[in-house]
Amino acid sequence: MRRQVPIDTAHTLLEWLEKGGVNQQSPVNGETNQERLTRLEGDKESLVLQVSVLTDQVEAQGVKISDLESSLEEHQHKLNSTEEMLQQELLSRTSLESQKLNLMGEVSYLKLKLVDMEEKQFHGVERQLHIVILWYCIHRYMMELQRLKTGMETLLVANDEKVSRRLSKVTINLCFSLLLRNVNDAQVLNIMYSMSMKSITVLSSRIRRTQSGGLQGEDLEPNQFRRGGLRATAGPRLTRTPESGSTVRDMNTPFSQWTREQVCGWLEDYGLGQYVNLTRQWVDNGQTLLSARPQDFEKEMGINHPLHRKKLQLALRGFSTKALEKSSELDHIWVTRWLDDIGLPQYKDQFHEGRVDGRMLQYLTVNDLLFLKVTSQLHHLSIKCAIHVLHVNKFNPHCLRRRPGEERNPSPSEVIQWSNHRVMEWLRAVDLAEYAPNLRGSGVHGGLIILELRFSSETLAMLLNIPPQKTLLRRHLATAFTALVGMQASLEKREYANATGHAPLTTAAKVRPKKLGFTHFSHLRKRRPDDLADYICPIDSGGLSAMNGVSHRPYAGVRGLSPILDREPERREQVGPKS
């Protein structure tokens, strides 16, 4: 045991034991010094064993650390070499890119040079080709001009023969009539001579007016110019004009006596030219159309479009009654422009396809509008009020005002003639320019604002898409709207809005066709054919003149013409909305 304990430790223990510093027996455990020494030696052996084990572990860990350091150095070396290779690759790529750009620049320069050379090479050939094409076109035009000249001369000869024949017939008939009336021979001869001289004068004037050619040498001196000479050319007419139509048919002749060609020419002028071929096969004269039934138009002429049949029936009724209607002067092209003015350009294609003209506007029904795909209740009201304005102004095509004038405080009788664009100009004038474009396609015009009781400032704010939370802006609009329509109209609109059963105007409201029940069939037999139509704007001359006249109550003059509701003053509270 002494061999295992270091010498110094053994000497220290022996000295301590000799001095008697420790009792032979532990007072606590009852352990003797010998036992304690034995226990300590066992603990020492276990500690020595643990130290040896830990030493082995430390040596093993040191070996691992050395291996890891060597592998780290190896990887660091590989990383450095990879970075060097990457740097070299980047340098090589940069040089390649620069070479590529240089090559592209050279290629583009070569292409430009090639194009320039090609242009220089083919410029002469192209110029020669242009010259050849130009000469060819000139040659064709000269041939066409010669052909037209020959046809014109032939037509003139034929017309001259027809005119001479007609004049001779008129002369012979006149002479016979004079002879029957016991007129002496001298007078007959004088009349025949005067008629023949007139015919010769007419023929010579026609030939001089229509024939192409230069001025005669004896008429003008050298270096002298005079206006009003002969025409050099006579260009073709691309469209049929009223003057050309009057030569085909005489408007003073009754329609029943019109020939087949005159009727077909009138149909073409009237916008129904697609039915001319079948009409030419069926119609003998104008009386055929006047005596035809509505189903004959569909069967014989192939008019399947209901609005085309209605257009033809209204025109034939005008010929039969010989009533002059100002609305008949407005064609379907004007109606498409009128739709722009009242703010409904989205329906131009449907109205143009239906050939809706001014006369059809006057007799337009709710079902006609539904057939034209106008289903919005607000748009129905817009069209109805616009037709009212046309009635008041006797279908004057220029009654609507498109631009602002010099008026500062316009009266309701002036506002009623405002177009949709003029209303947007008014919005810009009252500092609402940012909301003005929202009125495009809304159908809002002056007639709707003034005539419709349910159209208020709230309706206008809804159409302008002004948010409800912007109360100050809506209040400003209401003030400007009241100043525009006047106090009388504002009071009536407010009273109507406060009435029981009032339904405000909305953009989502639709118009549905009326369904007839069994009780209506008995009334259909008693009514006249004209009463069967539910006109969108009934013809009523009473009370309309007050809108254009100087009246203290411009709105009261049109109280009975509200597009949806015809209310009476004593029944304001009992009237409900009707669709």
Side-chain angles (χ1 to χ4, degrees), residues 208-269:
R208 182 175 179 81
R209 184 172 63 252
T210 57
Q211 186 177 2
S212 299
L215 293 173
Q216 298 178 0
E218 63 272 18
D219 293 336
L220 293 178
E221 298 178 359
N223 299 328
Q224 183 179 1
F225 176 76
R226 184 184 66 187
R227 293 186 181 273
L230 302 179
R231 293 185 301 171
T233 59
R237 296 182 185 269
L238 298 180
T239 58
R240 185 182 294 270
T241 60
E243 290 80 3
S244 62
S246 62
T247 59
V248 177
R249 58 188 178 275
D250 187 5
M251 299 307 296
N252 295 325
T253 306
F255 184 79
S256 59
Q257 299 179 8
W258 283 13
T259 63
R260 178 187 293 109
E261 294 301 326
Q262 289 176 339
V263 172
C264 292
W266 171 74
L267 282 176
E268 189 174 352
D269 291 342

Side-chain angles (χ1 to χ4, degrees), residues 408-428:
R408 294 183 179 179
N409 296 320
S411 61
S413 60
E414 295 174 341
V415 175
I416 201 174
Q417 296 178 347
W418 281 9
S419 64
N420 178 260
H421 183 77
R422 180 65 183 90
V423 175
M424 288 194 288
E425 292 292 336
W426 169 75
L427 288 173
R428 295 185 180 96

Side-chain angles (χ1 to χ4, degrees), residues 23 68 190 238 273 302 324 336 373 460 490 524 535:
N23 296 326
L68 289 174
N190 289 332
L238 298 180
L324 296 177
T336 56
K373 299 180 181 179
L460 185 58
S490 300
L524 292 178
Y535 293 131

Side-chain angles (χ1 to χ4, degrees), residues 190-391:
N190 289 332
I191 292 172
M192 292 178 65
Y193 177 75
S194 61
M195 293 294 292
S196 61
M197 292 302 294
K198 285 183 180 179
S199 63
I200 293 171
T201 305
V202 170
L203 290 175
S204 61
S205 63
R206 288 193 178 187
I207 293 172
R208 182 175 179 81
R209 184 172 63 252
T210 57
Q211 186 177 2
S212 299
L215 293 173
Q216 298 178 0
E218 63 272 18
D219 293 336
L220 293 178
E221 298 178 359
N223 299 328
Q224 183 179 1
F225 176 76
R226 184 184 66 187
R227 293 186 181 273
L230 302 179
R231 293 185 301 171
T233 59
R237 296 182 185 269
L238 298 180
T239 58
R240 185 182 294 270
T241 60
E243 290 80 3
S244 62
S246 62
T247 59
V248 177
R249 58 188 178 275
D250 187 5
M251 299 307 296
N252 295 325
T253 306
F255 184 79
S256 59
Q257 299 179 8
W258 283 13
T259 63
R260 178 187 293 109
E261 294 301 326
Q262 289 176 339
V263 172
C264 292
W266 171 74
L267 282 176
E268 189 174 352
D269 291 342
Y270 204 49
L272 301 176
Q274 62 268 37
Y275 308 112
V276 168
N277 294 331
L278 294 177
T279 304
R280 186 175 285 109
Q281 300 174 6
W282 174 55
V283 172
D284 295 330
N285 49 30
Q287 185 61 35
T288 307
L289 290 180
L290 292 177
S291 60
R293 297 172 300 174
Q295 53 267 29
D296 294 335
F297 299 140
E298 183 176 2
K299 179 181 178 181
E300 302 294 341
M301 298 176 61
I303 305 179
N304 297 322
H305 201 292
L307 294 183
H308 292 180
R309 291 197 299 270
K310 182 174 182 178
K311 180 184 179 75
L312 182 58
Q313 290 174 9
L314 290 176
L316 294 176
R317 189 176 70 177
F319 281 121
S320 300
T321 58
K322 298 182 180 181
L324 296 177
E325 294 178 341
K326 296 290 292 183
S327 59
S328 61
E329 300 176 2
L330 309 178
D331 59 357
H332 62 280
I333 303 298
W334 179 88
V335 172
T336 56
R337 295 195 298 267
W338 174 75
L339 289 172
D340 279 326
D341 291 336
I342 66 175
L344 295 174
Q346 61 268 33
Y347 301 114
K348 290 170 65 175
D349 293 338
Q350 291 89 324
F351 274 71
H352 185 270
E353 182 182 356
R355 296 295 190 270
V356 179
D357 54 6
R359 184 187 280 125
M360 291 185 68
L361 286 180
Q362 187 174 356
Y363 298 100
L364 203 63
T365 65
V366 176
N367 290 331
D368 292 340
L369 285 181
L370 294 176
F371 184 80
L372 292 169
K373 299 180 181 179
V374 184
T375 59
S376 174
Q377 186 185 38
L378 184 62
H379 294 172
H380 274 246
L381 297 177
S382 174
I383 294 175
K384 184 167 187 176
C385 293
I387 297 175
H388 273 305
V389 176
L390 289 177
H391 273 297

Side-chain angles (χ1 to χ4, degrees), residues 517-576:
F518 289 101
T519 58
H520 292 79
F521 289 103
S522 60
H523 298 287
L524 292 178
R525 300 178 181 177
K526 301 178 182 179
R527 298 170 65 182
R528 294 179 300 174
D530 296 340
D531 297 336
L532 297 178
D534 185 14
Y535 293 131
I536 188 71
C537 180
I539 302 173
D540 187 1
S541 59
L544 290 175
S545 60
M547 284 187 291
N548 281 343
V550 181
S551 176
H552 298 285
R553 297 183 64 186
Y555 196 81
V558 293
R559 177 178 294 132
L561 299 176
S562 179
I564 287 298
L565 299 175
D566 294 337
R567 65 188 181 91
E568 297 180 1
E570 63 273 9
R571 296 182 180 178
R572 290 179 183 176
E573 294 82 3
Q574 300 178 0
V575 175

Side-chain angles (χ1 to χ4, degrees), residues 119 121-131:
E119 288 181 355
Q121 182 179 359
F122 293 104
H123 183 68
V125 178
E126 187 176 355
R127 187 174 180 181
Q128 292 178 0
L129 287 174
H130 286 169
I131 293 173

